[in-house]
Amino acid sequence: ILPTVLVHGGAGHIDADKVECVKLGVKQAAQRGYKAMLETGSALNAVEQAVMVLEADIHFNAGYGSVLTENGNVEMDASIMDGSRLEGGCVTMARSIMHPISLARCVMEKTNYRFLAGDGAMRLAKEEGFEILPKNALVTEASQKLLKVFKISNTDTHFNVVPGTVGAVAIDAGGNVAAATSTGGLTGKLSGRVGDSPILGAGTYADNEAGAVSATGHGESIMRYNLSSRVLALVRHKNYSIQQAVEEVLQNMTAHFKQTGGLIAIDHRGQLGIYFTTELMSWAYQQGKELHCGVEFGEDEVEIVDDDT
Amino acid sequence: ILPTVLVHGGAGHIDADKVECVKLGVKQAAQRGYKAMLETGSALNAVEQAVMVLEADIHFNAGYGSVLTENGNVEMDASIMDGSRLEGGCVTMARSIMHPISLARCVMEKTNYRFLAGDGAMRLAKEEGFEILPKNALVTEASQKLLKVFKISNTDTHFNVVPGTVGAVAIDAGGNVAAATSTGGLTGKLSGRVGDSPILGAGTYADNEAGAVSATGHGESIMRYNLSSRVLALVRHKNYSIQQAVEEVLQNMTAHFKQTGGLIAIDHRGQLGIYFTTELMSWAYQQGKELHCGVEFGEDEVEIVDDDT
């Protein structure tokens, strides 16, 4: 199996003048994750490191750059899963930290729990030495503008804008898979709204016997449809290719709920699945020296990267 | 299809002197749910009403009688799902209300969200006219005693005691299924711990094309294993009977994680699945005039009930 790290930067619309920044972001994330895998041999480290790059990048809706609740605050959801042990960690209502994905990993590795919300999650962050940022440190001009526009237009379609949820899936040479997803959620959401990203089986799942999945899109629909689980069930029980599985399940979800989304996945054989029913989805993967990237349907830019990058 | 309402009152140990009270509770819940289905024709109403009976019963770990966080407070998780529309509602960190299951239904029916935590859930409760109880109104002597014992013994096995999580599944004559689960969680838990009960695909799932499931047991394992989804995948893709499916999946989970649990399920043909890897699990169902109930492995008490009960 060829070690591979595949990331997404959210599905939806991307303003034309932002496309290059978004592509650069997902490529850097895939490369950073790939490097972490080569250095540590761990798919889990790879997805965490890849997502951390996107959390720190203002162009994505996770960590710094997260969209705002109706009160103008940042409340983040994240989950991570290690397919070799079926281990997972999840957080919701995380605030004032740059890397919710690392806090999700701490929930998994440092507690007897697997999902912590709000103050419970923040207590763990303090105990584990996470830097607690000043209030509003994660708030950007762009996210404030989005909230303003949302409040004026007051539509129900607030998810379908940049910046996007981020995620990563990876497989190592031994066939161990991992998945991670991180998001600021919906612009203008009610404080306490939990999306699909921290839900194992909805936004994130990883199981060495089937594969790893990270989802993006309309969270309430992804949660109701149990999107990641349905993808892996087709691989597990019906011998679908992972690309067939992500296409069929996402098409069915979109037809059923009239809501769109995107999926990235790697199956237990190392095959990739990339699909979206939105206008665009940014994604990138590194496999060996090849770095692939795309935003539009059917797009697949390839470049050759040095090991030193 | 024969309309059926099947409930559980948690899996684990039940003190000998409590067995009769627990049996009475699950039987009353099954009857109340069945009556609601006959009156309204709705499997969704049936599971909500059945769970409300158990939330109001001191002998179960849900609503009144919920176990306590490490700080001595009640923080409740619940979810409900309507298999005919793949609609669901979920709450976590709910407090000071008798019926979290009804709040979960409100999330589903009255908001654009499907999962609300803490203050966001409580704001909806107030807006929807839920009675907000005085602080400690849900705290019982029994739950305080359990917390005391937990703090002294400080073991990792705090879930495996009475009272138990509650849940219900139902099917109506038209083949519509629904599921609901409600719990106070773990004695001595950290505030903010989210269990499997509010997670669609873990503690609860319902889909007319496959069936309805409610789980109980070690929440972290059920969440990691995506227990309800795995059961329904076997029905959907492998043509398992629902009893085969609940047995195989729960045995696999227990072997994999060395953690136990229980499941109740109804498939889309109206067949029932009841299984547990714990010592005991209380369950009951009504189908026509037959009221079945059991606690021990293999137990199946039947009585004939009047329509007037």
Side-chain angles (χ1 to χ4, degrees), chain A residues 56-111:
Chain A
D57 188 327
I58 192 170
H59 296 96
F60 299 93
N61 177 17
Y64 182 61
S66 285
V67 299
L68 307 179
T69 67
E70 60 174 1
N71 302 321
N73 299 316
V74 165
E75 266 186 29
M76 300 170 289
D77 290 345
S79 64
I80 191 164
M81 192 158 179
D82 173 355
S84 68
R85 297 177 298 146
L86 294 178
E87 262 297 5
C90 316
V91 294
T92 188
M93 301 174 77
R95 51 182 195 268
S96 303
I97 57 171
M98 185 65 85
H99 296 300
I101 199 65
S102 302
L103 185 56
R105 184 167 176 173
C106 270
V107 173
M108 174 172 105
E109 295 181 340
K110 302 291 176 72
T111 80

Side-chain angles (χ1 to χ4, degrees), chain B residues 23 29 42 45 54 58 69 77 93 114 134 144 148 163 185 217 230 235 251 294:
Chain B
K23 279 185 176 176
S42 157
N45 289 341
L54 297 168
I58 192 172
T69 67
D77 291 346
M93 300 176 76
R114 292 298 175 268
Q144 288 176 310
K148 209 177 216 173
R230 286 191 195 245
V235 173
Q251 285 168 358

Side-chain angles (χ1 to χ4, degrees), chain B residues 1-116:
Chain B
I1 294 171
L2 289 172
T4 307
V5 179
L6 167 59
V7 309
H8 71 77
H13 171 76
I14 306 172
D15 289 334
D17 62 344
K18 299 271 167 46
V19 167
E20 286 312 310
C21 293
V22 166
K23 279 185 176 176
L24 187 64
V26 289
K27 285 194 285 188
Q28 284 174 337
Q31 284 185 274
R32 182 71 198 86
Y34 192 80
K35 198 173 173 206
M37 183 144 62
L38 292 188
E39 284 168 3
T40 67
S42 157
L44 187 67
N45 289 341
V47 295
E48 183 189 5
Q49 291 288 327
V51 165
M52 287 174 73
V53 169
L54 297 168
E55 286 176 333
D57 188 328
I58 192 172
H59 296 97
F60 299 93
N61 177 17
Y64 181 60
S66 285
V67 299
L68 306 179
T69 67
E70 59 174 1
N71 302 320
N73 299 316
V74 165
E75 266 187 30
M76 299 169 290
D77 291 346
S79 66
I80 191 165
M81 190 157 181
D82 173 356
S84 68
R85 297 178 296 146
L86 294 179
E87 263 295 5
C90 317
V91 294
T92 188
M93 300 176 76
R95 51 183 195 267
S96 305
I97 57 170
M98 185 65 84
H99 296 300
I101 200 66
S102 301
L103 185 56
R105 185 169 176 172
C106 270
V107 173
M108 172 172 107
E109 295 181 340
K110 303 293 175 70
T111 80
N112 289 328
Y113 309 109
R114 292 298 175 268
F115 194 165
L116 293 179

Side-chain angles (χ1 to χ4, degrees), chain A residues 132-184:
Chain A
I132 306 302
L133 304 168
K135 195 168 154 58
N136 294 336
L138 299 173
V139 176
T140 64
E141 272 185 47
S143 64
Q144 287 176 310
K145 196 175 156 194
L146 279 174
L147 181 61
K148 209 176 212 175
V149 170
F150 167 74
K151 285 189 169 177
I152 293 165
S153 65
N154 203 16
T155 61
D156 191 27
T157 58
H158 44 178
F159 93 93
N160 211 0
V161 288
V162 280
T165 291
V166 308
V169 292
I171 191 165
D172 68 22
N176 296 306
V177 298
T181 311
S182 182
T183 189

